[in-house]
Amino acid sequence: PLIVEDSIRFLTNGETQHVLLAAWGQDAYFHYQDLNEGVWPNDKPHVIYDYAAVDSAKTLEIQAGTRIHLHKNSLLFVYKGTLNINGGAAEQDKVVFEGDRLEPFYEDVKGQYYGIYFQEARSSTIDHAIIKNGTAGIHVFGDDPNNTDYTLRVTNTEIFNHSSYGIFNYSGGRIYGENLLVHNNNQYAFFLLEGADYNFRHCQFLGIGTDGNQPAFAIKNYFTRTDGITYIGSVDTGKVYNSIIYGSGESQIVYDTFTNNGA
């Protein structure tokens, strides 16, 4: 925190008066449509307007204890690059993603920003993070064909209070998750669309808090895009081990799938 001080000088009928001004603020690193690589320092918060991007073949590391605040509709965008979030187990060492409105009213308001978006990313990791109050906490779209590991490994992370999905895995993304708590999202805790792979161990996907008792876990291997063509993808690996899938609705795991021959 810091104090910004200034003054306004009034000159009236030859008399000079000063009005002293003081405002509380917080120093931060600001990102606006910029490209990022290397290591983000963790001595001050990072504030994202519109997007902060990790471009093709670049790598960004986010250290333990870093706090990231995103403005309305903003996202951390990983395009064919690598993102490694290396939080720690202690509360003060977790990496936190949330909105940039710090008033108490916004502590649990959903949809304050978009989320973390991976498009055809190289193998990336998220460990010991808290991702809250966005639209889609983690969005994985596609996979780098040169990856020998999962597109994304997420471990020891809490993802909650999003206006759409906790984790959205779309069109070929491959996600490994371990020790995750995904809850209180308006639609699904986990949503797979147009084919993708997943492997979850020791996780909780909770449908509690969804709109209209939506399921916690949803699989749909096809999608009709804007060109009017229905694209069908495969789910080659779909595993859930020693985990809890639970919610307030009657069905918490739903499938909507068919093959290229319409079956």
Side-chain angles (χ1 to χ4, degrees):
L2 54 88
I3 300 176
V4 179
E5 296 181 318
D6 207 335
S7 65
I8 300 176
R9 182 169 68 100
F10 293 91
L11 181 62
T12 307
N13 296 328
E15 297 291 331
T16 299
Q17 295 177 307
H18 289 83
V19 175
L20 300 180
L21 306 174
W24 286 93
Q26 185 169 5
D27 197 10
Y29 297 102
F30 289 90
H31 304 273
Y32 175 69
Q33 298 183 358
D34 61 355
L35 301 179
N36 297 267
E37 60 180 309
V39 181
W40 271 4
N42 60 1
D43 57 326
K44 296 184 290 188
H46 291 255
V47 181
I48 298 175
Y49 280 78
D50 202 356
Y51 66 81
V54 183
D55 206 1
S56 177
K58 303 297 183 181
T59 299
L60 174 65
E61 179 182 339
I62 298 179
Q63 304 177 83
T66 305
R67 300 188 72 92
I68 296 103
H69 300 273
L70 296 97
H71 192 62
K72 182 70 174 177
N73 297 324
S74 297
L75 70 159
L76 178 56
F77 181 40
V78 183
Y79 177 69
K80 298 184 178 181
T82 300
L83 174 67
N84 292 318
I85 297 175
N86 301 317
E91 191 67 24
Q92 68 272 15
D93 291 332
K94 294 185 182 298
V95 175
V96 179
F97 287 81
E98 59 184 328
D100 64 350
R101 298 297 298 267
L102 304 183
E103 305 95 314
F105 175 81
Y106 288 92
E107 287 182 359
D108 58 357
V109 174
K110 301 176 181 178
Q112 295 183 48
Y113 61 97
Y114 185 74
I116 308 173
Y117 192 115
F118 297 86
Q119 182 171 344
E120 300 172 63
R122 298 191 303 179
S123 294
S124 299
T125 61
I126 298 175
D127 186 38
H128 285 293
I130 296 173
I131 306 168
K132 62 180 181 178
N133 299 342
T135 299
I138 294 174
H139 184 156
V140 176
F141 174 19
D143 182 45
D144 187 315
N146 297 315
N147 284 343
T148 58
D149 197 359
Y150 289 91
T151 315
L152 177 65
R153 285 181 172 266
V154 192
T155 52
N156 308 307
T157 291
E158 184 178 10
I159 304 165
F160 67 101
N161 211 49
H162 296 282
S163 60
S164 290
Y165 320 109
I167 299 174
F168 182 23
N169 194 8
Y170 173 52
S171 191
R174 295 187 297 145
I175 296 178
Y176 175 87
E178 185 173 319
N179 193 28
L180 305 182
L181 175 56
V182 189
H183 64 98
N184 199 43
N185 303 287
N186 271 9
Q187 296 190 34
Y188 310 115
F190 174 74
F191 181 34
L192 184 155
L193 180 63
E194 200 188 300
D197 292 346
Y198 60 92
N199 185 344
F200 294 118
R201 298 169 183 267
H202 317 300
C203 298
Q204 295 185 56
F205 295 96
L206 306 181
I208 298 170
T210 59
D211 285 342
N213 294 326
Q214 293 273 16
F217 209 90
I219 307 297
K220 183 177 180 179
N221 76 329
Y222 67 93
F223 180 62
T224 302
R225 301 191 190 179
T226 55
D227 57 11
I229 300 174
T230 297
Y231 293 82
I232 302 172
S234 61
V235 183
D236 296 324
T237 300
K239 300 177 180 179
V240 180
Y241 294 97
N242 194 36
S243 296
I244 296 172
I245 299 175
Y246 179 78
S248 54
E250 182 176 345
S251 300
Q252 290 306 309
I253 302 176
V254 294
Y255 289 88
D256 183 5
T257 61
F258 58 80
T259 64
N260 284 319
N261 62 13

